[in-house]
Amino acid sequence: MQKANNDELILALSKGRILEETAALLDAAGIALTEDPETSRKLIFPTQNPKVKVIIVRASDVPTYVQYGAADFGIAGKDVLQEHGGAGLYQPIDLNIAKCHLAVAVPKGYDYQNAVRKGARLRVATKYVQAAREHFAAKGVHVDLIKLYGSIELAPLVGLSEAIVDLVSTGNTLRANDLVEVEHIADISSRLVVNQAALKLKRDLLQPILDAFSKVAAG
Ligand code: PRT
Ligand code: MG
């Protein structure tokens, strides 16, 4: 097993929007990638700093790699961190990237407020079971949560659920599927997460990078 040793750092990132929006941060910290993961099949990448490598994993797997110390630090959405639970992770910086919000949405014309008032039991499809459960429990709304792994917006269109809980950024996906947002649950952005042991053992290597990230994140 390749495991991070004490004179090198491994950063866990995911392809797509996190990688894109992280480029400026990596640049500022002197750890820009020297190869483009979007066009490569490799999973471990060198950076400008010979002591720092980047591994590319699924967005929802980033906290797991960092929790177990297979990566020393990583970047993940607050949505992902909330579902993971955050055990073993130190979360020092809100990077203010990959911003969106978590919302409840229903098909246009469905009277959500009325259904809630009448105490109806709603079927809600979501990838974010943890966050959805907390949200509806706090509001005293009765729900049956249906866990999906993608294309959440499809569920109400084919009768799998009455409502969804999903991430929204531009709102284009909701509009394209005749869905409307009825509740704003939480603002989401991406956070830097650091393995708690690495923070102590590799402070010398980590601190300058954390400082550079903080500086860019603060604008
Ligand atoms: O697909 P995979 O399981 O590998 O992971 P992922 O889908 O979580 O990864 P990715 O790269 O899509 O998202 C990584 C992180 O970006 C998420 O964990 C969020 O914190 C953040 N983020 C920001 C978003 C969005 N904006 C976003 N709009 N993640 C997903 N979306 C999806 C949303 O689920 C919906 O289907 O985009 C659609 C809505 O977008 P709009 O612009 O049409 O409103
Ligand atoms: Mg995705």
Side-chain angles (χ1 to χ4, degrees), residues 15 17 58-59 127-128 149-150:
K15 279 193 200 183
R17 74 188 97 215
R58 282 291 286 268
K127 192 171 163 184
Y128 303 103
Y149 293 87

Side-chain angles (χ1 to χ4, degrees), residues 17 58-59 77 79-80 98 100 127 153 166-167 169-173:
R17 74 188 97 215
R58 282 291 286 268
D79 51 316
V80 164
C100 56
K127 192 171 163 184
E153 294 87 352
D166 199 13
L167 298 176
S169 52
T170 61
N172 288 339
T173 308

Side-chain angles (χ1 to χ4, degrees), residues 50-130:
K51 290 186 169 170
V52 183
K53 291 191 172 58
V54 167
I55 59 170
I56 298 293
V57 302
R58 282 291 286 268
S60 43
D61 291 336
V62 166
T64 307
Y65 279 87
V66 177
Q67 172 187 5
Y68 289 101
D72 299 295
F73 61 143
I75 294 174
K78 190 180 163 199
D79 51 316
V80 164
L81 293 170
Q82 188 174 3
E83 294 304 304
H84 171 271
L89 303 177
Y90 173 63
Q91 298 184 33
I93 312 171
D94 181 349
L95 297 171
N96 264 312
I97 59 166
K99 287 201 208 173
C100 56
H101 66 278
L102 193 64
V104 182
V106 299
K108 215 188 270 172
Y110 178 79
D111 194 342
Y112 174 76
Q113 299 306 342
N114 187 48
V116 167
R117 246 189 331 268
K118 289 198 313 204
R121 203 169 177 90
L122 295 179
R123 284 172 308 162
V124 179
T126 187
K127 192 171 163 184
Y128 303 103
V129 173
Q130 213 44 46

Side-chain angles (χ1 to χ4, degrees), residues 7 17 39 107 116 137 171 193 213:
D7 53 16
R17 74 188 97 215
T39 57
V116 167
V193 290
F213 281 4

